[in-house]
Each structure stands twice: as structure tokens, then as C-alpha cells.
């Protein structure tokens, strides 16, 4: 396969990619599954994927396939005339993925939940996985909790599971020269997963993210905004009271920085009291809206600076010379 023993051992120890057995003499013996994984990693490496990411993708696809097979056995085998492409489409269909994820979370089955997430992120774009799978999933989790169909344990399990997955996608938030966004939830608001997902989408659109997270004091948010001079401050809450309880401070913040409110707590009355702008439930459209607004603000600043420079030059030319 053209891979040295040293590399094979590194992939085994670092990524758990291989599972060899020992011969009576103590030598490693690799099986057909090991060979297949190595070949798949090498194929991804040729496409420019790092060894770590390639190993993750290979193992994720394997887990997803195992989970799908278990689901088929539990529900009865699919008809023989259903082709492989149709099976793959069914596995990657967002409503199916949401249902599978809910089942896994209800059972507190971490391996199965990760397998479903692997399928979502491997078979779909990151944007689609977040917008079409994770957002509807958390809406359903909230509904099921309110109806008493799941408990606090399942809700916390779901949040922890997805937070870790989204956290891995946030590692490049501080890189680049794009616009800056400060993201937070007001005091008393602890549900920030959708805001975190929005941060991932912004980051993939070139934004640099300063994520303050849940239960952020408004004074701390204002200090962060003054320090970073962001192109957008996004504050999310599920309840209007999360905003209205801090209306005077948020009004001052909106006068100093471009403040956008998001979540179910964003009512017309709240927007009027605070003087902020509104982000709706369509996360992809919101990314485009913030990006356009940041571009317009920067263009306006540049034009203002140019006008001031021209005025200064004109004033200098009009001064009498001695």
C-alpha cells in the first residue's frame, strides 16, 4: 500500500484507525478492514485532506454505516428492489436524521447519536447539516421537553453532544481579516446552541467571531463591543423579558454599535424599545443580511474618510501663502 510501518503505527495510536492482532511472535497482523481504511485514508490524502481529518471521515463513515445497518435490522430489512443510492438518500434525508437523532438522545446513546451526526455532516454541507438537521432537532427537543416526553438529562445530553461537534467547527473563528461579530445571550438565557450554530455559519462566511455565550451580563457585552469595535453585535433570547429587563443598557449599546436581536423573544415592541435590528429564523439569510450590512457600513466609513480627506486638502490649498 506504500505506507511505512512507522506511519501505520502512528495512525493506530493517534487516530485509532487500525485494529491489528498480535502473532505468536509479537508482530502486528493487519486485517482486510485495516487495509480498506488505509486505502480510503490515502485516497483522501491525495485530495489534500489532512491525515487526522481523513481518519476521522473514514471512521465516521464506518460508524454511520453500522448504525444504518442496525436501524434496518430493527425496523425490518428494506425491500430488495431499493437500490444503494436510494438507501443513502433515505439515510441523509433531514427528517430521517432528526428522528434518528431524537431516538438516540432519548436513549442517551452517544455512539448512535455521533453516527447520525457523522452522516449529517459527511453527506450534507455544513450549512445544510446545521440549518436542516440541528436547528429542527433542537426545536423538537424543546417541544418534547415542554410536553414531558424527555427530561433534563436528555436535554443536557443533546446540548453537550452538539456543542462538542460545533465547537470543532469554530477553531478558525479568529483567523482572517473579515468583519467581526460579537455573539451572546442576555442574563438568564442559557440556551445558546442555535446561536453557536449561527456563529459557525458566520465563520464559514469569513467573519471573525467573538463568542461570549449564554448568560452574559450586558455590561460585559458592552465592554467587549467597545474593545473589539465589531461590525455586528448579535444578542439572542427565547423570551422578550430577556431583552426588556435590560432595555436602557441595550438601547445605549445599540446607539454605539450595530445591535441585532434574534430568537423568539424578539418582538416588535422589544425592537422599538431598544432601537435594535432584527434577525429572523432563517440562519442562512441572516448571514447574508449581516454580511451586506457590514459591507455597507465599511463602504460608508471609507467614503466619509475620503470626503474628510478631500475637505482637509481643499482647506489647506485655500490658506494664504506667505
Amino acid at each position: 500500500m506504500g505506507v511505512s510501518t512507522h506511519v501505520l503505527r502512528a495512525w493506530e495510536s493517534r487516530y485509532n484507525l487500525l485494529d491489528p492482532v498480535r502473532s505468536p511472535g509479537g508482530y502486528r497482523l493487519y486485517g482486510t478492514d485495516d487495509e480498506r481504511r488505509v486505502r480510503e485514508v490515502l485516497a483522501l490524502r491525495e485530495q489534500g485532506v489532512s491525515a487526522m481529518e481523513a481518519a476521522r471521515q473514514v471512521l465516521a463513515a464506518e460508524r454511520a454505516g453500522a448504525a444504518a445497518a442496525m436501524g434496518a435490522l430493527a425496523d425490518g430489512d428494506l425491500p430488495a428492489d431499493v437500490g444503494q443510492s436510494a438507501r443513502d438518500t433515505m439515510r441523509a434525508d433531514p427528517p430521517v436524521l432528526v428522528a434518528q437523532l431524537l431516538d438516540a438522545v432519548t436513549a442517551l446513546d452517544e455512539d448512535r447519536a455521533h453516527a447520525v451526526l457523522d452522516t449529517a455532516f459527511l453527506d450534507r454541507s455544513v450549512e445544510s447539516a446545521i440549518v436542516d438537521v440541528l436547528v429542527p432537532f433542537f426545536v423538537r427537543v424543546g417541544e418534547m421537553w415542554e410536553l414531558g416526553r424527555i427530561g433534563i438529562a436528555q436535554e443536557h445530553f443533546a446540548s453537550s453532544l452538539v456543542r462538542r461537534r460545533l465547537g470543532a467547527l469554530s477553531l478558525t473563528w479568529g483567523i482572517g481579516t473579515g468583519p467581526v461579530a460579537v455573539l451572546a445571550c442576555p442574563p438568564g438565557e442559557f440556551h445558546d446552541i442555535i446561536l453557536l450554530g449561527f456563529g459557525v455559519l458566520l465563520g464559514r462566511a469569513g467573519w471573525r467571531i467573538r463568542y461570549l455565550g449564554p448568560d452574559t451580563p450586558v455590561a460585559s457585552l458592552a465592554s467587549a463591543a467597545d474593545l473589539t469595535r465589531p461590525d455586528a453585535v448579535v444578542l439572542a433570547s427565547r423570551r422578550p423579558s430577556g431583552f426588556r429587563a435590560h432595555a436602557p443598557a441595550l438601547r445605549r449599546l445599540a446607539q454605539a454599535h450595530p445591535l441585532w436581536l434574534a430568537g423568539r423573544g424578539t418582538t416588535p415592541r422589544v425592537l422599538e424599545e431598544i432601537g435594535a435590528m432584527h434577525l429572523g429564523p432563517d440562519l442562512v439569510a441572516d448571514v447574508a443580511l449581516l454580511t451586506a450590512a457590514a459591507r455597507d457600513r465599511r463602504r460608508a466609513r471609507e467614503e466619509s474618510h475620503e470626503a474628510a480627506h478631500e475637505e482637509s486638502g481643499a482647506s489647506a490649498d485655500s490658506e494664504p501663502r506667505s
Side-chain angles (χ1 to χ4, degrees):
M1 291 183 290
V3 181
S4 68
T5 302
H6 172 75
V7 170
L8 289 176
R9 289 182 179 178
W11 288 357
E12 177 187 340
S13 61
R14 294 177 187 173
Y15 314 133
N16 294 319
L17 182 70
L18 308 174
D19 188 23
V21 296
R22 293 281 185 172
S23 71
Y27 293 100
R28 286 177 171 82
L29 299 177
Y30 296 99
T32 55
D33 285 341
D34 295 319
E35 181 178 355
R36 173 185 52 76
R37 294 187 194 111
V38 170
R39 291 187 185 280
E40 290 174 356
V41 167
L42 291 176
L44 290 170
R45 294 281 287 139
E46 290 178 358
Q47 299 174 26
V49 180
S50 69
M52 179 178 68
E53 177 61 17
R56 189 196 71 79
Q57 290 188 22
V58 169
L59 292 174
E62 196 170 279
R63 288 200 303 270
M70 290 296 292
L73 288 174
D75 299 334
D77 290 335
L78 293 172
D81 58 349
V82 177
Q84 184 60 44
S85 61
R87 295 168 188 259
D88 292 344
T89 299
M90 291 173 66
R91 284 205 304 269
D93 187 58
V96 174
L97 292 171
V98 171
Q100 291 175 342
L101 199 52
L102 284 170
D103 288 343
V105 166
T106 300
L108 298 180
D109 188 334
E110 181 151 347
D111 285 344
R112 185 150 54 100
H114 274 300
V116 177
L117 289 175
D118 289 340
T119 300
F121 280 94
L122 287 172
D123 291 357
R124 314 189 69 82
S125 67
V126 171
E127 288 77 9
S128 177
I130 292 174
V131 171
D132 299 326
V133 178
L134 293 189
V135 171
F137 165 67
F138 269 100
V139 170
R140 291 285 293 121
V141 167
E143 292 172 349
M144 292 174 69
W145 180 80
E146 290 176 356
L147 294 172
R149 295 175 57 187
I150 61 173
I152 292 294
Q154 280 84 0
E155 185 192 25
H156 287 188
F157 177 78
S159 297
S160 174
L161 184 81
V162 175
R163 188 182 301 281
R164 281 176 282 155
R165 184 60 62 104
L166 293 177
L169 298 171
S170 69
L171 298 178
T172 59
W173 274 358
I175 299 175
T177 58
V180 175
V182 175
L183 274 56
C185 294
E189 180 59 75
F190 295 92
H191 294 80
D192 70 324
I193 291 295
I194 294 179
L195 181 67
L196 181 59
F198 182 57
V200 170
L201 298 184
L202 280 175
R204 288 177 60 82
W207 285 71
R208 289 172 289 161
I209 309 301
R210 306 295 181 259
Y211 193 77
L212 307 185
D215 192 31
T216 302
V218 174
S220 298
L221 174 61
S223 296
D226 291 341
L227 181 64
T228 60
R229 308 301 299 174
D231 297 275
V233 177
V234 179
L235 195 63
S237 176
R238 296 177 305 154
R239 301 178 305 277
S241 59
F243 298 127
R244 298 191 65 198
H246 311 281
L250 290 178
R251 192 180 308 113
R252 290 191 295 271
L253 179 62
Q255 292 169 352
H257 304 283
L259 176 62
W260 301 77
L261 303 184
R264 288 183 295 175
T266 309
T267 65
R269 182 177 179 181
V270 164
L271 293 170
E272 183 179 359
E273 287 183 1
I274 295 173
M277 294 167 284
H278 179 220
L279 291 177
D282 187 335
L283 300 188
V284 173
D286 290 341
V287 170
L289 179 61
L290 285 190
T291 301
R295 185 168 53 245
D296 291 344
R297 283 175 57 84
R298 292 200 171 192
R299 185 183 298 116
R301 284 200 301 267
E302 290 171 0
E303 292 174 352
S304 176
H305 291 161
E306 290 175 0
H309 179 72
E310 291 175 358
E311 183 178 347
S312 175
S315 299
D317 290 341
S318 64
E319 291 179 359
R321 301 180 183 273
S322 57

